[in-house]
Amino acid sequence: MQIAHLGWRFAEPHDEFRPLFEAVVRDAPRHVAWEFKAAKNWLILPVRLSEESRRNGDRFGEAQTTVTEDQDFCVAASKDMDLILRALEDAAPKAPSADKPPLDPQT
C-alpha cells in the first residue's frame, strides 16, 4: 500500500479556501498527524511524510519510498484520508439535485 496524500494546483489562486483545508486537516484525521501546505501546489499529507521529505533533501519520491516501508502507518494514513475526503465532501457547496430544478433568478 502506498502512503496516502493529496496534491493539486489551482489555475487561479483561491486563498479563500485555505481556512477550510486547514480546518479539515486539523479536525478530521484520527490516526496520524497531518498538515496542509499551500504554495504553487497545495498538499494534504502526513507530517511524517513531510518530515521525511525534508530529511531527504526535499526529494519527495524518496520520502514516499521510505515511509511506505511502514505498512501499519500507511494503513492508518489511508483511514485518515477517507475521513479527510468525507469532511471535504461535506464542506463542499451542494450542486442542484436532478429532481429539484435550480431556482429561476427571474422569479
Side-chain angles (χ1 to χ4, degrees), residues 8-99:
W8 69 98
R9 183 181 303 170
F10 287 113
E12 299 291 327
H14 284 284
D15 288 340
E16 69 273 16
F17 294 133
R18 281 180 190 238
L20 168 68
F21 292 116
E22 290 166 347
V24 166
V25 167
R26 180 187 61 243
D27 299 337
R30 299 283 184 261
H31 303 95
V32 302
W34 290 78
E35 67 182 348
F36 167 70
K37 292 181 170 187
K40 183 177 181 179
N41 294 321
W42 288 26
L43 299 167
I44 295 175
L45 70 164
V47 169
R48 181 173 169 189
L49 179 57
S50 181
E51 291 171 347
E52 189 64 39
S53 181
R54 282 192 293 279
R55 276 194 290 278
N56 279 302
D58 289 325
R59 291 187 297 272
F60 194 75
E62 288 182 27
Q64 285 179 286
T65 299
T66 300
V67 174
T68 299
E69 291 173 3
D70 183 347
Q71 286 292 291
D72 290 338
F73 183 81
C74 291
V75 169
S78 179
K79 290 177 183 178
D80 275 354
M81 182 57 77
D82 286 341
L83 296 171
I84 289 168
L85 292 174
R86 287 180 195 186
L88 288 172
E89 182 179 27
D90 291 345
K94 303 300 180 221
S97 65
D99 59 332

